[in-house]
Amino acid sequence: MQFLSRFFVTLLAVILLPTLMVIAQSPTVSVGENLIIDGIPPIPSSLTQTVDRYTQFRSASITDWHPTRREMLISTRFADTPQIHLVKFPLGSRKQLTFFPERVGEGTFQPTKGESFVFSKDIGGNEFNQNYRYDLATGDITRLTDGKSKNSLGRWSNQGDRMIYTSTRRTGKDTDFYIISPKNPQSDRLLAQVEGGGWDALDWSPDDHLLLAGEYISANESYLWLIDTQSGEKKLVTPKGGKEKVTYSGGVFSSDGKGLYVTTDRDFEFSRLTYIDLATFKHTYLTTHIPWDVENFDLSHDGKYIAFVNNEDGASVLRLLETATGKEKPLPKLPVGQILGINWHRNNHDLGFTLVSAKTTADVYSLNLPSNKIERWTESETGGLSTVNFPDAQIVRWKSFDGKTISGFLYRPPTKFSGKHPVIINIHGGPEGQFRPTFLGRNNYYLNELGVAILFPNVRGSSGYGKNFLTLDNGYLREDSVKDIGSLLDWIATQPDLDKNRILVTGGSYGGYMSLAVATTYSDRIRASIDIVGISNFVTFLEKTESYRRDLRRVEYGDERDPKMREFLLKISPLNNASKIKKPLFVIHGQNDPRVPLNEAQQIVATVKKNQVPVWYLIAKDEGHGFSKKKNIDYQFYATVMFIKEFLGSQHQ
């Protein structure tokens, strides 16, 4: 009898051995110590091998030129987070200077000798940035701010002996102006008190006696001030109380100090490059012939040229204006994409900028004015993938419920995928943001390997289409932008190559709210939704977002302290309509998010679980408003791929 028992045990082991070996050979991805997961099934390691190349993209952006040498600081990532690097010539090696577990995205040289630079970083994505001085001779790093408050990087004086920056140090809510000599941190002092969280230092006058400061109220309202850099006395440059709200963004002193170059939508639908005479406050408009926003500009140090970028239907166009004549200089043609961070070298010959397109990850370039030639400074890796055949973004337009035309950008899968494509609708944040043609990074996996189309709508309230379009979702009009997505679902149903029965909606921040709102309003027309750092209840969001930004958000969404508005905000909040979410939901959030607090994710997850639908939940304890650390981003990507495969499916070739 014992012999038979041993025989059957041995037989059973032989039968099960292959299965046990398969299990042993199929490990799963470990969950990082800073990640909390709920409802997410184990992720097989084989998935990471499949998608690995799509996680290896790098990018680079210019942060500043050296004042006396043709060298620059850039931000790029080699390990887990972006850090500051020095590049000494085009396509030269990238020498890493900062080594922190947290991202370092900005650095600005001392502007006369360049023996040091000041950079900014936070902890765990909390956005309470602190400023530091980096000594290039010794590598010594000295903290310049209090270690507690939220601080802007600030602006150097022209002599390079002082910086002015904003800080919430006094009240936690108001962004006052402080002045410091970075060589002597003890020199730090309060320069000017202000009210509100939307203030910023823009530029010093040529004699360093005045600071140009911006006061941001909303996307449709902002003002310019002059602040005495000794006394802190403030003087309003742009008047308040007009018939319509006006926005001013950016701003530099002319080389003679007699005027300002700014962008403003005063008396126009779009923001124009404008000269303001400081003696008369007369506005001279320089780009009226261009019916698009001027979104970024920089004045050469000799004052002879203004480089500026127009946002033309989502694509960036670089232009160069001669200040003496008002004429434009012809420039080499650049790929369709986004041009960011334009920055003149003090030699007045070289203009640095960052360029990103659908086929190229963000990299740093410069335009040499005398030769009119473009030079490339960085060539970021793309995981061994050839990006030449990556699809370009195509502009699509559709009529919404009220007859207004809404547009977006559609990335179609390669032609090897025939038939109808599943669709991911990805809605931008802001809500005053705008999706622009760009490199999709990891998202290219969905296109190239799963055959899923990705559509990025710019619903009403998006920037880039004029100041009136920007206001169409404010306050009580909030749900009109959700209806724009309903009309988009109708449009998708008319497209022969898009599958109306396989649609997933996602978005981050305000886009997270939109994905939840679509899931409650059009649950029967989508397969699933992914909410990334999104708002689930406007009232709790406004009550708990950091105090320095609360009033700024009330202008956009409405003031929850007003009983009528509070009732409306509660009525439209996804949390109070969550019983209508009948399709799988994936919620992703950073524990340290200062903008949309973690509570917004916790409450929607707890509520939707009652609907007996699959709910996946991912929290990063060391992240804020979106993930920035590669290991966390990778896990989020792996889980998202699994979620999409399971609930949206893929298209076979």
Side-chain angles (χ1 to χ4, degrees), residues 3-18:
F3 171 78
L4 290 174
S5 297
R6 288 196 297 270
F7 172 78
F8 283 116
V9 168
T10 303
L11 181 62
L12 186 63
V14 171
I15 294 171
L16 292 178
L17 183 60

Side-chain angles (χ1 to χ4, degrees), residues 34 51 67 77 90 209 224 276 327 391 461 489 495:
N34 286 309
V51 306
R77 177 195 61 78
H209 288 166
L224 297 175
I276 301 177
K327 294 181 179 179
L489 296 174
Q495 302 304 300

Side-chain angles (χ1 to χ4, degrees), residues 67 122 130 142 147 150 160 162 224 235 237 245 291 328 368 409 412 465 494 516 545 585 635:
D122 70 357
Q130 306 301 318
T142 306
K150 176 181 172 62
R162 291 164 292 166
L224 297 175
K235 178 182 179 182
V237 175
K245 295 176 181 177
E328 286 189 33
N368 182 263
F409 290 91
R412 285 186 162 93
Y465 304 99
T494 68
L516 291 173
T545 191
L585 172 66
Y635 187 89

Side-chain angles (χ1 to χ4, degrees), residues 359-376:
K359 298 181 188 296
T360 58
T361 185
D363 268 315
V364 181
Y365 299 79
S366 69
L367 166 69
N368 182 263
L369 197 58
S371 67
N372 205 32
K373 291 184 178 179
I374 302 291
E375 288 184 287
R376 186 169 186 169

Side-chain angles (χ1 to χ4, degrees), residues 297-438:
F297 72 95
D298 194 31
L299 177 69
S300 61
H301 294 272
D302 58 10
K304 293 182 178 180
Y305 290 97
I306 300 176
F308 64 99
V309 176
N310 278 111
N311 171 2
E312 300 191 5
D313 219 353
S316 292
V317 178
L318 178 65
R319 301 176 187 271
L320 193 63
L321 185 75
E322 189 176 26
T323 56
T325 64
K327 294 181 179 179
E328 286 189 33
K329 175 180 171 63
L331 297 179
K333 188 175 182 180
L334 293 168
V336 175
Q338 294 185 63
I339 298 167
L340 310 166
I342 55 175
N343 190 323
W344 282 101
H345 193 287
R346 287 183 175 266
N347 63 18
N348 299 303
H349 289 167
D350 292 300
L351 177 72
F353 57 92
T354 303
L355 173 67
V356 58
S357 72
K359 298 181 188 296
T360 58
T361 185
D363 268 315
V364 181
Y365 299 79
S366 69
L367 166 69
N368 182 263
L369 197 58
S371 67
N372 205 32
K373 291 184 178 179
I374 302 291
E375 288 184 287
R376 186 169 186 169
W377 283 72
T378 64
E379 190 171 9
S380 297
E381 295 76 8
T382 57
L385 287 166
S386 172
T387 63
V388 174
N389 295 320
F390 280 16
D392 287 313
Q394 301 171 338
I395 296 179
V396 296
R397 307 181 199 276
W398 63 95
K399 292 287 186 181
S400 194
F401 68 97
D402 57 356
K404 286 187 170 55
T405 298
I406 308 297
S407 64
F409 290 91
L410 173 63
Y411 290 76
R412 285 186 162 93
T415 55
K416 67 182 180 181
F417 295 99
S418 58
K420 288 182 175 291
H421 310 304
V423 183
I424 294 174
I425 298 175
N426 192 320
I427 308 170
H428 66 70
E432 309 97 333
Q434 180 192 22
F435 179 80
R436 314 277 299 278
T438 189

Side-chain angles (χ1 to χ4, degrees), residues 169-463:
R169 188 181 313 168
R170 181 174 58 90
T171 65
K173 175 178 178 290
D174 304 305
T175 46
D176 298 326
F177 289 90
Y178 288 77
I179 188 166
I180 187 174
S181 170
K183 278 190 174 181
N184 177 21
Q186 287 71 38
S187 66
D188 190 31
R189 69 178 178 89
L190 176 65
L191 175 65
Q193 291 185 12
V194 296
E195 292 184 6
W199 293 80
D200 194 20
L202 300 177
D203 193 32
W204 292 66
S205 61
D207 60 7
D208 284 343
H209 288 166
L210 295 172
L211 175 78
L212 178 64
E215 179 191 10
Y216 177 93
I217 304 297
S218 73
N220 288 94
E221 182 181 7
S222 54
Y223 304 96
L224 297 175
W225 296 74
L226 295 176
I227 299 178
D228 188 292
T229 58
Q230 292 296 324
S231 67
E233 181 182 353
K234 300 190 296 293
K235 178 182 179 182
L236 183 63
V237 175
T238 54
K240 294 189 176 185
K243 291 183 178 180
E244 66 173 16
K245 295 176 181 177
V246 175
T247 183
Y248 291 85
S249 57
V252 297
F253 283 91
S254 59
S255 57
D256 59 9
K258 295 181 179 180
L260 305 171
Y261 290 104
V262 305
T263 61
T264 178
D265 63 4
R266 177 180 170 180
D267 300 326
F268 204 58
E269 185 65 21
F270 295 92
S271 288
R272 292 178 286 186
L273 188 61
T274 304
Y275 177 79
I276 301 177
D277 187 305
L278 287 176
T280 63
F281 298 111
K282 178 185 176 183
H283 288 50
T284 302
Y285 303 110
L286 307 177
T287 57
T288 303
H289 61 290
I290 305 172
W292 298 101
D293 284 330
V294 175
E295 60 182 0
N296 191 10
F297 72 95
D298 194 31
L299 177 69
S300 61
H301 294 272
D302 58 10
K304 293 182 178 180
Y305 290 97
I306 300 176
F308 64 99
V309 176
N310 278 111
N311 171 2
E312 300 191 5
D313 219 353
S316 292
V317 178
L318 178 65
R319 301 176 187 271
L320 193 63
L321 185 75
E322 189 176 26
T323 56
T325 64
K327 294 181 179 179
E328 286 189 33
K329 175 180 171 63
L331 297 179
K333 188 175 182 180
L334 293 168
V336 175
Q338 294 185 63
I339 298 167
L340 310 166
I342 55 175
N343 190 323
W344 282 101
H345 193 287
R346 287 183 175 266
N347 63 18
N348 299 303
H349 289 167
D350 292 300
L351 177 72
F353 57 92
T354 303
L355 173 67
V356 58
S357 72
K359 298 181 188 296
T360 58
T361 185
D363 268 315
V364 181
Y365 299 79
S366 69
L367 166 69
N368 182 263
L369 197 58
S371 67
N372 205 32
K373 291 184 178 179
I374 302 291
E375 288 184 287
R376 186 169 186 169
W377 283 72
T378 64
E379 190 171 9
S380 297
E381 295 76 8
T382 57
L385 287 166
S386 172
T387 63
V388 174
N389 295 320
F390 280 16
D392 287 313
Q394 301 171 338
I395 296 179
V396 296
R397 307 181 199 276
W398 63 95
K399 292 287 186 181
S400 194
F401 68 97
D402 57 356
K404 286 187 170 55
T405 298
I406 308 297
S407 64
F409 290 91
L410 173 63
Y411 290 76
R412 285 186 162 93
T415 55
K416 67 182 180 181
F417 295 99
S418 58
K420 288 182 175 291
H421 310 304
V423 183
I424 294 174
I425 298 175
N426 192 320
I427 308 170
H428 66 70
E432 309 97 333
Q434 180 192 22
F435 179 80
R436 314 277 299 278
T438 189
F439 188 74
L440 294 186
R442 291 167 173 81
N443 286 326
N444 282 295
Y445 176 81
Y446 309 135
L447 291 162
N448 298 335
E449 309 298 337
L450 301 184
V452 177
I454 310 177
L455 206 163
F456 296 87
N458 285 317
V459 296
R460 67 189 67 207
S462 302
S463 59

